[in-house]
């Protein structure tokens, strides 16, 4: 039985997003897009959903263990249906000009919501179980709902890849160079490798990223760390001049995996092009890999529990589109010359806020004003609305003050921003019925910053 895990799946999908911008001809996008299977997801059935930050994008990446069609050669007669062999949230942020990929370990024991039965899935009642049960019992739609409810992160799209797509991409790249610090002999992964620097082909790479019992402490968590190193090596190879030099090679490269990709039907060719444009200038140092903070589950040491409050702080930071690199200057602006960027956040003390309570909950404006004052904002008033209340909690800002609005929005669990030319320097927070209080992100947990990796600097035990 062969399983492809996080490094492989995410490298496939992220690499496509990073280099797709090289196919500038609109017709080339359509040609490749036509090979992709799509699935309709009824997100309206989820009920209340987390709010999204304008411009940011969150994609649920699924590594499918389906064994039908071209994947039948990987056996697994005991495998019923389809499950997420790996699960990742890819957060793409034009504001921070980077991408963060958060691994959700498949051994995570979590509180699963209920999901209705479908034509081919039995559905699932609310209970505590392995995170992958959501997909096997309710399909991708149930998994999507589960991830949103567990993390509080608004998911915009999903992308799923199977075994065949992974091997095809590696072979189209001409293999991926990896350092193998010690010989590997893993019969379960059908993998035999000598020690040293070497180029792995598609079949060897498939074995390497799923190998668990032939390396390290045999845990899924240590395997994730190796997979992240593989992902960085794959991204560096895919974005090298050797691959990017030929449009024809790029077209063949992307075409080699699209036969094995499934997405939601809202992930259109135009959306894919927008993602590619967003990531066109992304450097390897701006692609960050994180595993949700975790430890042994107290009720079952063979399973994983997400560590609190670090996990919630991480997800809150992702949901608010915060910079997870920890590289912000003390004045609140990112490193680099951003003095002319009107979306760069500023110090809360420079932000003047008026709070408007549009929910009908008595005292909410005053309570919110007190909370914002405690975080350093200059609250100039709190009142009830005079006119129509927006469907979403919104921070309105006058011309030239988008950065002030964004600084405030970053502190709210649910909020969007919108320009109102009639306003001056004071931003106006209008609280609507989706209000979920101030976010709890605060500072990004130190454990996240310490454990995270970038695609630019991956561990190389051979050097």
């Amino acid at each position: 039985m062969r399983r492809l895990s996080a490094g492989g799946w995410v490298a496939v999908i992220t690499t496509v997003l990073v280099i797709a911008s090289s196919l500038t001809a609109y017709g080339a996008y359509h040609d490749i897009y036509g090979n992709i299977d799509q699935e309709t997801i009824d997100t309206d059935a989820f009920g209340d959903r987390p709010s999204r930050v304008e411009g940011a994008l969150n994609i649920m990446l699924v590594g499918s263990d389906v064994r039908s069609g071209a994947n039948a050669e990987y056996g697994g007669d005991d495998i019923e249906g389809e499950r997420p062999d790996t699960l990742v949230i890819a957060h793409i942020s034009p504001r921070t000009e980077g991408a963060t990929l958060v691994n959700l370990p498949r051994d995570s024991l979590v509180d699963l919501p209920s999901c209705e039965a479908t034509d081919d899935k039995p559905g699932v009642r609310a209970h505590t179980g392995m995170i992958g049960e959501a997909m096997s019992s309710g399909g991708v739609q149930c998994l999507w709902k589960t991830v949103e409810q567990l993390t509080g992160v608004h998911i915009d799209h999903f992308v799923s890849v199977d075994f065949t797509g992974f091997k095809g991409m590696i072979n189209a790249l001409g293999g991926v160079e990896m350092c193998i610090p010690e010989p590997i002999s893993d019969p379960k992964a059908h993998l035999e490798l000598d020690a040293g620097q070497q180029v792995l082909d598609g079949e060897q790479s498939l074995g390497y990223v799923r190998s668990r019992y032939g390396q390290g402490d045999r845990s899924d968590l240590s395997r994730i760390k190796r997979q992240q190193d593989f992902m960085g090596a794959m991204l560096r190879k895919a974005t090298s001049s050797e691959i990017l030099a030929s449009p024809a090679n790029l077209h063949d490269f992307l075409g080699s995996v699209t036969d094995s990709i499934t997405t939601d039907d809202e992930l259109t060719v135009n959306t894919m092009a927008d993602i590619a444009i967003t990531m066109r200038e992304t450097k390897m140092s701006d692609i960050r890999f994180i595993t949700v903070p975790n430890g042994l589950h107290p009720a079952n040491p063979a399973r994983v529990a997400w560590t609190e409050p670090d996990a919630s702080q991480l997800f809150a930071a992702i949901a608010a589109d915060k910079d997870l690199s920890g590289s912000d200057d003390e004045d609140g602006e990112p490193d680099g010359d951003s003095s002319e960027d009107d979306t760069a956040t500023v110090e809360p003390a420079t932000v003047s806020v008026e709070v408007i309570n549009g929910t009908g909950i008595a005292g909410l404006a005053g309570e919110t004003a007190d909370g914002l004052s405690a975080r350093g904002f200059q609250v100039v008033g709190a009142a009830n609305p005079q006119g129509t209340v927006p469907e979403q909690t919104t921070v309105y800002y006058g011309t030239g003050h988008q950065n002030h609005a964004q600084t405030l929005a970053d502190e709210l669990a649910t909020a969007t921003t919108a320009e109102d030319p009639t306003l001056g320097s004071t931003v106006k927070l209008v609280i609507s019925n989706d209000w979920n209080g101030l976010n709890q992100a605060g500072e990004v947990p130190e454990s996240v910053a310490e454990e995270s990796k970038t695609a630019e600097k991956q561990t190389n035990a051979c050097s």
Side-chain angles (χ1 to χ4, degrees):
M1 180 175 66
R2 299 187 181 193
R3 291 188 172 189
L4 176 62
S5 291
W9 298 130
V10 180
V12 170
I13 299 163
T14 308
T15 302
V16 170
L17 297 178
V18 170
I19 74 169
S21 57
S22 299
L23 292 177
T24 54
Y26 192 71
Y29 279 115
H30 275 287
D31 183 30
I32 292 173
Y33 181 77
N35 295 331
I36 298 174
D37 289 332
Q38 294 196 313
E39 183 175 333
T40 299
I41 303 295
D42 181 15
T43 54
D44 290 339
F46 296 175
D48 292 336
R49 300 182 63 200
S51 295
R52 64 187 306 271
V53 175
E54 184 177 358
L57 201 64
N58 299 305
I59 303 177
M60 183 176 73
L61 309 181
V62 179
S64 167
D65 70 354
V66 65
R67 306 306 171 93
S68 59
N71 298 292
E73 65 179 282
Y74 298 106
D77 293 336
D78 59 330
I79 300 295
E80 297 181 2
E82 180 180 10
R83 293 173 296 186
D85 200 44
T86 200
L87 184 59
V88 171
I89 298 174
H91 175 70
I92 301 172
S93 173
R95 188 168 71 86
T96 59
E97 298 182 344
T100 300
L101 296 104
V102 183
N103 289 78
L104 308 181
R106 69 184 185 189
D107 287 346
S108 299
L109 196 59
V110 297
D111 292 331
L112 300 169
S114 63
C115 292
E116 297 293 330
T118 66
D119 291 340
D120 59 348
K121 302 291 183 182
V124 62
R125 59 178 176 77
H127 71 289
T128 299
M130 297 278 281
I131 195 168
E133 289 183 37
M135 186 171 177
S136 57
S137 299
V140 172
Q141 178 162 308
C142 182
L143 184 63
W144 188 324
K145 173 183 177 181
T146 298
V147 170
E148 284 200 344
Q149 292 197 10
L150 288 174
T151 66
V153 174
H154 181 101
I155 302 299
D156 298 285
H157 302 288
F158 90 89
V159 178
S160 174
V161 185
D162 63 20
F163 300 137
T164 306
F166 175 77
K167 290 200 308 179
M169 177 175 279
I170 298 296
N171 289 331
L173 285 174
V176 171
E177 186 174 14
M178 287 294 295
C179 168
I180 309 300
E182 298 179 353
I184 299 174
S185 178
D186 189 344
K188 289 190 175 183
H190 300 277
L191 183 65
E192 300 286 337
L193 291 176
D194 294 329
Q197 201 80 19
Q198 55 198 285
V199 177
L200 306 184
D201 63 20
E203 194 70 34
Q204 291 171 321
S205 297
L206 177 61
Y208 178 77
V209 298
R210 68 180 176 83
S211 174
R212 177 170 179 172
Y213 298 100
Q215 303 183 68
D217 63 4
R218 303 172 61 151
S219 73
D220 191 46
L221 296 175
S222 66
R223 176 170 57 176
I224 285 175
K225 293 180 180 178
R226 294 191 300 272
Q227 292 160 352
Q228 291 171 339
D229 286 335
F230 180 89
M231 189 192 316
M234 184 177 181
L235 283 167
R236 292 192 298 273
K237 177 66 177 289
T239 55
S240 69
S241 57
E242 176 185 346
I243 301 300
L244 297 177
S246 168
N249 288 344
L250 274 175
H251 189 279
D252 291 343
F253 168 65
L254 294 176
S256 70
V257 296
T258 50
D259 282 337
S260 303
I261 286 179
T262 301
T263 74
D264 60 283
D265 59 2
E266 296 295 322
L267 187 53
T268 64
V269 64
N270 290 331
T271 303
M272 288 183 175
D274 289 341
I275 295 172
I277 291 170
T278 297
M279 300 196 69
R280 182 171 51 196
E281 303 299 328
T282 297
K283 302 184 293 292
M284 292 297 99
S285 59
D286 294 326
I287 299 176
R288 186 168 297 275
F289 310 127
I290 298 173
T291 301
V292 60
N294 65 83
L296 299 180
H297 197 286
N300 186 347
R303 300 298 180 225
V304 167
W306 296 351
T307 303
E308 296 296 352
D310 285 5
S312 292
Q313 290 175 340
L314 169 62
F315 293 132
I318 296 256
D321 192 28
K322 283 182 173 289
D323 185 356
L324 302 184
S325 68
S327 62
D328 283 3
D329 292 330
E330 291 183 0
D331 62 359
E333 293 188 358
D335 290 339
D337 183 11
S338 58
S339 59
E340 297 182 1
D341 181 1
D342 65 0
T343 64
T345 55
V346 297
E347 281 293 315
T350 68
V351 181
S352 176
V353 184
E354 180 184 10
V355 182
I356 304 297
N357 177 15
T359 67
I361 301 174
L364 184 57
E367 176 185 329
T368 303
D370 290 342
L372 291 175
S373 294
R375 296 194 181 195
F377 291 89
Q378 300 299 312
V379 179
V380 298
N384 293 322
Q386 302 292 322
T388 304
V389 175
E391 292 185 3
Q392 285 185 289
T393 296
T394 304
V395 181
Y396 293 98
Y397 60 90
T399 303
H401 290 85
Q402 184 177 358
N403 51 357
H404 289 208
Q406 190 61 58
T407 294
L408 176 57
D410 284 350
E411 295 294 330
L412 311 178
T414 57
T416 187
T417 62
E419 184 173 3
D420 181 350
T422 67
L423 295 177
S425 59
T426 296
V427 298
K428 179 184 294 185
L429 167 61
V430 180
I431 302 174
S432 192
N433 290 323
D434 65 338
W435 177 250
N436 197 26
L438 305 183
N439 76 52
Q440 302 301 310
E443 296 298 324
V444 177
E446 290 185 7
S447 61
V448 170
E450 292 172 356
E451 294 297 326
S452 65
K453 301 180 178 182
T454 69
E456 179 185 45
K457 297 179 180 179
Q458 296 295 311
T459 304
N460 186 346
C462 288
S463 57

